[in-house]
Amino acid sequence: MANFYSIVLTLVTIVAGLIWLYDAKMKKPARLATIAKLEEQTNKTLDDEERERVAPQGRVAEFAQSVFPILFIILIVRSFFYEPFRIPSASMMPTMLAGDFVLVQKFSYGVRDPLFRTELLETGKPNRGDIAVFKFPVNPQVDFIKRIVATPGDRIIYRNKTLYLEPACVDNSAECPQLQVIERNVQQQDEVYFSRTTPLQRYSEQLGEVKHEILIDPTVAPRTAYYFQQAGTAADEWIVPEGHYFAMGDNRDNSEDSRYWGFVPYENLVGKATFIWMSLEFDRGPDSWVPEWLPDWVPSGVRWHRLGNVE
């Protein structure tokens, strides 16, 4: 859907620019000639109101001239710098909640054209721990947001709800890293998340330089039978191929991620999530001011405490 908006925005901007350019090159000289002729006949300099009355600019051209600069700025910012995204599900809890609106830094993982997503300039690659937005490999029309847990060459195991990582050996002359468990620590916090009526277990975890929190549902059994199967590895083990990444949701038992459909190609990356700029609450609590007859998409409040950087 986001790609559809990018295409529409690009096409509308181009059309508005072409209309403005046609008017400036073809129509405006004739209008100026008419005004100059009348001023010569009357020996009087016309003000702006009189000029508009004598040689009016077409409404379509006037509208295109007024909106093109705005559309052009929005297109440049949205295509190459920052784009807003809305978190639609609970797969990234507790880091991000459904109803959070995040700014995604588009130039973190390369500068791409807005129509065909061809890389124009390489600016960086994802690191372990980054929260990335990417085109869903199964359906590129859909944008996903997950955490990058493994980069090209890494070996990763997710067994008994525990994450193991063996970083890629980048220098064959040195001692290569060994498989290690990604340790997690129990978090005792006031905010408790539930799956139905069961409290979720909340842990802190560190991937590379990033420390973040995850949720585990103790009532959900491991879903190894549904995992994506990579040739030559165990059912719960993967080796990330070159040019690909392994992404998982922080809400580990409620996330459709690389465990189930495979790796994220580099060319599918959209950008890095950096900042929560708005967070809307949609749950209808007992103290909610929203009447029951209003649709579910009407927010019941703003979660001001959630605004800020994401990890």
Side-chain angles (χ1 to χ4, degrees), residues 3-247:
N3 192 49
F4 171 77
Y5 291 143
S6 296
I7 293 174
V8 171
L9 177 60
T10 302
L11 294 178
V12 170
T13 303
I14 291 174
V15 170
L18 290 175
I19 293 174
W20 184 14
L21 181 63
Y22 174 79
D23 179 74
K25 296 295 184 180
M26 305 299 293
K27 298 292 187 178
K28 186 175 181 180
R31 294 198 300 270
L32 293 178
T34 300
I35 294 171
K37 183 177 180 181
L38 182 59
E39 288 180 338
E40 183 179 353
Q41 291 174 349
T42 60
N43 197 26
K44 171 188 173 184
T45 301
L46 303 180
D47 58 28
D48 292 340
E49 185 177 342
E50 292 172 327
R51 289 183 173 213
E52 180 61 27
R53 186 170 59 252
V54 170
Q57 184 182 26
R59 291 186 178 181
V60 174
E62 183 180 8
F63 178 76
Q65 180 178 340
S66 63
V67 301
F68 174 75
I70 300 173
L71 291 175
F72 183 74
I73 292 173
I74 294 175
L75 177 64
I76 294 299
V77 172
R78 191 177 186 276
S79 299
F80 304 118
F81 294 96
Y82 291 93
E83 182 176 356
F85 281 84
R86 177 179 180 269
I87 306 301
S89 69
S91 70
M92 282 299 293
M93 289 170 46
T95 309
M96 287 183 287
L97 307 181
D100 284 351
F101 292 78
V102 300
L103 278 182
V104 174
Q105 190 170 278
K106 300 293 287 288
F107 56 86
S108 293
Y109 310 137
V111 176
R112 304 176 186 274
D113 77 83
L115 284 181
F116 305 103
R117 290 187 43 79
T118 302
E119 188 175 43
L120 306 176
L121 180 66
E122 182 178 327
T123 58
K125 299 290 177 66
N127 296 312
R128 299 185 198 95
D130 285 1
I131 299 177
V133 171
F134 54 88
K135 301 295 179 184
F136 184 30
V138 179
N139 180 9
Q141 299 303 315
V142 178
D143 289 323
F144 266 30
I145 182 166
K146 305 291 180 186
R147 189 179 298 276
I148 302 295
V149 299
T151 56
D154 290 351
R155 176 186 172 213
I156 185 171
I157 296 175
Y158 191 72
R159 184 170 296 161
N160 297 325
K161 301 191 179 185
T162 300
L163 183 63
Y164 300 84
L165 176 67
E166 182 180 318
C169 186
V170 296
D171 186 355
N172 293 328
S173 63
E175 184 178 352
C176 292
Q178 300 298 309
L179 185 68
Q180 55 185 297
V181 61
I182 303 300
E183 295 184 0
R184 59 193 191 197
N185 299 310
V186 177
Q187 296 296 292
Q188 301 293 338
Q189 300 208 12
D190 296 335
E191 196 169 15
V192 179
Y193 298 94
F194 290 86
S195 174
R196 305 179 189 89
T197 59
T198 304
L200 299 178
Q201 297 171 350
R202 190 169 179 174
Y203 299 93
S204 67
E205 185 179 81
Q206 184 149 351
L207 285 169
E209 301 297 324
V210 179
K211 187 175 182 180
H212 62 282
E213 295 185 352
I214 63 170
L215 297 178
I216 298 293
D217 188 342
T219 66
V220 175
R223 301 189 177 102
T224 310
Y226 300 98
Y227 285 173
F228 163 71
Q229 300 298 301
Q230 185 182 28
T233 63
D236 53 5
E237 176 183 352
W238 304 269
I239 299 175
V240 185
E242 189 64 32
H244 292 73
Y245 297 85
F246 196 94

